[in-house]
Amino acid sequence: IGAAVFDVLRKFPQAGALRLLGAGPLGTFLELAAGWGWSEAYAGQLKLPLRPPESSGPAWALNAREPVIHYHGPGESPYAVPEPVREAGVQVSMHLPMLAGDRATGVLVVEYLARREVSEDQVRIANLVAGVAAVAVERALAHQRNRELFQRVPVGLYRSTPDGRLLDVNDAMVRMLGYPDRDALLAVHATRLYANPEDRARWQDLMDREGVVAGFEVQWRRRDGTLIWVREASRVVRDAAGRPAYYEGSAEDITVRKRVEADLQYLASHDPLTGAYNRHRFQEELHRLVARARRTGESGALLFIDLDNFKEVNDRLGHKAGDDLLRAVVRDMRARLRETDLLARLGGDEFGVAVAPVNAEQAMAVARRILDAVREQVVLIGGRPVRLTASCGVALFPDHGLTVDEVLAAADLSMYVAKGQGGDRAVLYERNPAWRERFHTPLEWSTRLQSALAEDRLVAFAQPILDLRRNRVVHCEFLVRMEEGGAIISPAAFLPLAERLRLIQKIDAWICREALRFAARHKVGVHINLSPRTLEDEETVREIVAALDAQQEAAARLVVEITETAAVADVAQTLRCLEVLRSRGCKLALDDFGVGFSSLYYLRHMPVDYLKIDASFIRDLVADPQDRHIVRAIADMARGLGKATIAEGVEDEATLQAVRALGVDYAQGHHIGRPVPAGQLLQGPLLPEA
């Protein structure tokens, strides 16, 4: 700009020296940007302050916002004359403010080394040139600012012709796509960036119809061939005739976000241990299959599978071996199913398979293949090989049920029948009364449990939890028992059936109400366990929340314990339910911590307050240094995360002293106290204080 202006002003008004001073970005100084004549050597070095105005002629003119002419020589000057000007022998100076509208962009200085009169025409023409220069400088600065923004913004930016030739890209886009430099990327046609040509066609269709594309998520291909997800926003820039001149747009790399979304979606529908569907997703798919069977009459089958001797493996070899075995079972079952068949882990060692279309004979053939897959799992226990087996119940839809609940109940009952016949077999459900009469045990249990609930014959037992820091019992765990004919029935006899018969929700709601009453009356913390079925049952959750709202002070003393089995049933639903309970003041505990494949995942993502260290790490704590290292690590990790630890299975004084020395916060087990009717707990020597 300076060169163009100087070329004009050298001819008219025949200047002897010229200077173009630009205003600094903060408006506090003028900088010599270009010069011709004596001032050329000072370009880029000379800076003049704008305040006070009398500090220099350019400052004076810019503050006055009009041309100022100064004849050098004897006499007073309204402003100071810089020493370089005096040394150059300047006789006359004309200072012309460069104004682009209201914005001052600089000062143009015309100087004469010989004394002469400057006419009004010369001033007017020079002032016009200064105005043109002001607009040019303003546009150049705006372009420079836009260019710097274009290059520095962390999102990829581009301009391209309507036929796809790249006109310009910024550094962020070059880096995002892995090209060595800008020129290498500009040589690539824009259509080649899209991993799928159909996506480019959709993009082009939107541009043609709307003239703008926003939030367009698509896969692009990097220079090395790897795929990334980008989020595009583009628009058409038109010429004066309204025709598309070029496209400009942005592309943000959202690969990480897409990966996280995919992981969350996977966790919401899959069991993180085995990769099979979880209960929630399986029931959704089963709803779809049963509804289709009702419409078309095309038969399908539900297989309900329960491992027969898995508990022995877990107890004798540990939960890690159990986890490995579950993964192997799922892998081998999947290998015997079709791509369209559905496989889910419904609980700890329970699985569901849905197949359609099949008849009864085909469904039983699938069941036999599943049982073969389970039998292939052989483990060594006590030096002897133990073969895993399973019991499988088979129900057809729509033959054995027109709803998901009916089909599940039929398959569940058939599975129980298979287990009652010794296991390692599959049983097909039969509707006839004679078949049901032969295997009525589950129905009897259903009647007995419902009667116990209706007649208030459930009994709350309590087991003390010792605070190792204060050596006092301030917590207890509520455990349910059933009273029948004067006898107390162990939970092992009826809770598994209550799970299968879908009565566990009512039992959990009952124990929650009892725990709240006890906590309110005696001012102690009470722990309760909630089943996976309860956590996924919205009606029961609402009932529990209502009880918490009715006793808000007691709710703050309630600790809800969940196992990893509960969590894996439906991660998303479990998290939602726990957040609701926590919002009512409850505390949360992760039971059996340390033995599950995903314990650390749940510790990170679930808002738990307590970790109950599994008894398998406590049982041999005194003799096994490896167990001591694990328990100490869990205690240290929990303390660092602001959570407390509870040792389960403390059976003697030596183990109690060991867990205390390792930094565990609480202890529970027969050495602390056996489960007793809740009222008797308060009569013991460790009576909790209010």
Side-chain angles (χ1 to χ4, degrees):
I1 294 170
V5 169
F6 296 165
D7 189 52
V8 173
L9 295 179
R10 281 200 301 268
K11 299 173 184 175
F12 185 88
Q14 297 179 337
L18 296 161
R19 285 186 285 156
L20 193 156
L21 296 103
L26 299 179
T28 58
F29 63 86
L30 290 166
E31 182 176 9
L32 183 60
W36 173 77
W38 69 267
S39 59
E40 192 170 356
Y42 291 93
Q45 302 175 30
L46 181 64
K47 286 189 177 181
L48 302 175
L50 277 169
R51 293 285 188 277
E54 58 269 20
S55 61
S56 68
W60 184 275
L62 197 58
N63 280 281
R65 302 180 78 82
E66 61 182 21
V68 173
I69 301 173
H70 177 61
Y71 294 91
H72 299 266
E76 293 295 326
S77 172
Y79 51 80
V81 178
E83 192 58 33
V85 176
R86 294 184 187 277
E87 292 177 355
V90 175
Q91 298 297 311
V92 182
S93 297
M94 181 165 42
H95 305 105
L96 306 158
M98 296 165 53
L99 303 173
D102 293 333
R103 178 171 167 76
T105 61
V107 177
L108 186 61
V109 182
V110 181
E111 295 169 321
Y112 299 94
L113 302 180
R115 193 170 187 83
R116 56 173 291 178
E117 293 295 326
V118 181
S119 68
E120 290 183 5
D121 286 344
Q122 289 173 324
V123 174
R124 188 178 70 257
I125 292 173
N127 198 38
L128 287 172
V129 172
V132 172
V135 174
V137 167
E138 173 66 12
R139 290 180 177 175
L141 290 173
H143 177 76
Q144 182 181 347
R145 287 192 296 271
N146 290 338
R147 186 67 195 175
E148 288 176 354
L149 180 63
F150 184 81
Q151 287 299 338
R152 293 179 183 177
V153 71
V155 176
L157 301 176
Y158 67 88
R159 296 187 184 93
S160 67
T161 61
D163 63 0
R165 181 168 54 87
L166 290 172
L167 298 172
D168 199 3
V169 293
N170 68 348
D171 292 341
M173 188 157 170
V174 174
R175 291 192 300 271
M176 182 175 72
L177 293 173
Y179 283 82
D181 52 45
R182 180 171 168 271
D183 291 338
L185 180 53
L186 289 176
V188 178
H189 200 273
T191 56
R192 288 175 52 197
L193 299 178
Y194 291 78
N196 187 343
E198 293 178 359
D199 290 332
R200 174 67 183 192
R202 288 193 300 114
W203 180 91
Q204 188 66 59
D205 182 59
L206 284 170
M207 292 295 282
D208 292 343
R209 287 189 292 107
E210 308 290 341
V212 64
V213 170
F216 190 78
E217 296 186 359
V218 67
Q219 281 190 304
W220 278 11
R221 194 180 304 279
R222 286 169 49 89
R223 183 171 181 262
D224 61 6
T226 58
L227 299 181
I228 61 172
W229 278 95
V230 299
R231 189 171 190 267
E232 263 195 280
S234 311
R235 73 184 185 99
V236 175
V237 178
R238 302 183 183 277
D239 60 19
R243 295 183 297 266
Y246 60 88
Y247 300 147
E248 64 180 12
S250 64
E252 178 186 3
D253 188 343
I254 58 170
T255 306
V256 173
R257 194 201 81 193
K258 281 288 189 180
R259 189 178 300 125
V260 170
E261 287 176 354
D263 290 345
L264 290 175
Q265 187 174 8
Y266 182 87
L267 284 173
S269 59
H270 290 75
D271 166 41
L273 173 63
T274 63
Y277 280 154
N278 60 22
R279 179 188 296 275
H280 179 72
R281 177 64 185 275
F282 184 71
Q283 288 185 330
E284 283 184 343
E285 294 295 324
L286 191 57
H287 270 290
R288 179 178 58 81
L289 292 176
V290 171
R292 188 176 69 184
R294 285 200 305 267
R295 291 194 312 271
T296 65
E298 187 178 74
S299 185
L302 169 64
L303 283 63
F304 198 95
I305 303 130
D306 186 275
L307 303 183
D308 293 328
N309 48 349
F310 179 73
K311 187 176 185 302
E312 182 182 4
V313 175
N314 250 13
D315 291 346
R316 298 289 297 276
L317 299 184
H319 287 271
K320 183 182 183 307
D323 288 348
D324 292 340
L325 190 58
L326 289 174
R327 285 193 290 270
V329 166
V330 167
R331 182 189 64 238
D332 289 352
M333 284 197 296
R334 185 177 283 122
R336 286 165 170 78
L337 296 172
R338 301 171 300 183
E339 286 289 329
T340 55
D341 298 336
L342 305 176
L343 171 62
R345 182 186 178 198
L346 304 179
D349 59 351
E350 294 179 345
F351 300 91
V353 173
V355 291
V358 290
N359 56 30
E361 183 179 347
Q362 292 167 332
M364 291 301 289
V366 174
R368 287 190 290 271
R369 292 201 300 271
I370 292 294
L371 296 181
D372 288 342
V374 175
R375 289 190 202 100
E376 289 186 0
Q377 314 306 319
V378 180
V379 295
L380 287 175
I381 298 180
R384 64 182 179 87
V386 174
R387 188 180 300 279
L388 197 65
T389 62
S391 300
C392 178
V394 182
L396 303 179
F397 51 85
D399 303 46
H400 300 150
L402 296 175
T403 68
V404 168
D405 286 344
E406 290 175 353
V407 176
L408 281 170
D412 196 32
L413 178 59
S414 300
M415 186 278 296
Y416 184 84
V417 171
K419 198 171 285 288
Q421 293 177 346
D424 192 23
R425 69 194 63 213
V427 171
L428 179 66
Y429 181 80
E430 296 182 28
R431 275 194 175 277
N432 69 78
W435 184 84
R436 296 175 65 91
E437 184 63 28
R438 282 189 299 144
F439 305 108
H440 61 281
T441 305
L443 299 179
E444 285 186 346
W445 269 112
S446 176
T447 301
R448 291 166 70 183
L449 285 170
Q450 292 191 52
S451 296
L453 284 163
E455 298 166 9
D456 197 23
R457 286 190 287 104
L458 294 181
V459 181
F461 272 50
Q463 184 174 28
I465 299 174
L466 179 67
D467 185 333
L468 295 175
R469 296 161 298 186
R470 294 185 286 171
N471 202 37
R472 297 194 63 82
V473 171
V474 291
H475 288 227
C476 64
E477 180 176 358
F478 261 34
L479 305 164
V480 68
R481 303 289 190 268
M482 188 170 76
E483 187 274 326
E484 195 172 68
I488 297 297
I489 299 176
S490 165
F494 63 87
L495 280 186
L497 279 167
E499 286 271 359
R500 293 196 176 97
L501 297 169
R502 287 170 172 72
L503 292 171
I504 193 66
Q505 297 96 315
K506 294 182 178 179
I507 294 173
D508 280 354
W510 178 87
I511 200 76
C512 181
R513 291 191 297 269
E514 291 295 308
L516 286 170
R517 279 195 286 268
F518 189 86
R521 186 180 307 121
H522 302 294
K523 313 299 182 188
V524 295
V526 183
H527 293 232
I528 62 170
N529 287 277
L530 292 185
S531 159
R533 294 192 188 277
T534 298
L535 293 173
E536 68 184 23
D537 187 88
E538 294 183 2
E539 183 178 345
T540 306
V541 171
R542 283 195 296 269
E543 186 178 344
I544 290 173
V545 168
L548 294 171
D549 288 341
Q551 299 202 54
Q552 295 180 7
E553 182 181 350
R557 300 179 183 276
L558 189 70
V559 180
V560 173
E561 296 187 3
I562 62 164
T563 62
E564 187 175 327
T565 300
V568 301
D570 184 347
V571 176
Q573 172 63 17
T574 299
L575 281 172
R576 287 193 294 269
C577 179
L578 295 182
E579 289 291 355
V580 170
L581 297 179
R582 211 167 195 271
S583 71
R584 265 45 182 200
C586 292
K587 293 183 173 59
L588 304 175
L590 190 57
D591 201 3
D592 300 336
F593 185 80
V595 297
F597 175 76
S598 304
S599 293
L600 290 177
Y601 171 84
Y602 294 118
L603 174 62
R604 181 179 177 186
H605 290 84
M606 290 189 174
V608 297
D609 304 281
Y610 298 91
L611 305 181
K612 295 194 77 171
I613 304 172
D614 189 74
S616 62
F617 297 114
I618 306 300
R619 189 178 301 117
D620 301 320
L621 190 65
V622 175
D624 192 333
Q626 186 173 0
D627 282 346
R628 289 198 297 275
H629 287 310
I630 292 173
V631 171
R632 185 185 296 278
I634 293 174
D636 290 344
M637 176 180 62
R639 191 175 301 107
L641 294 172
K643 306 177 191 304
T645 47
I646 304 171
E648 297 182 292
V650 177
E651 306 298 312
D652 53 52
E653 182 64 23
T655 303
L656 176 62
Q657 296 307 321
V659 296
R660 179 181 276 122
L662 292 171
V664 177
D665 301 298
Y666 299 88
Q668 181 179 359
H670 288 176
H671 183 67
I672 310 300
R674 293 177 178 273
V676 295
Q680 294 181 21
L681 179 70
L682 301 174
Q683 301 169 11
L686 298 174
L687 178 65
E689 294 180 343

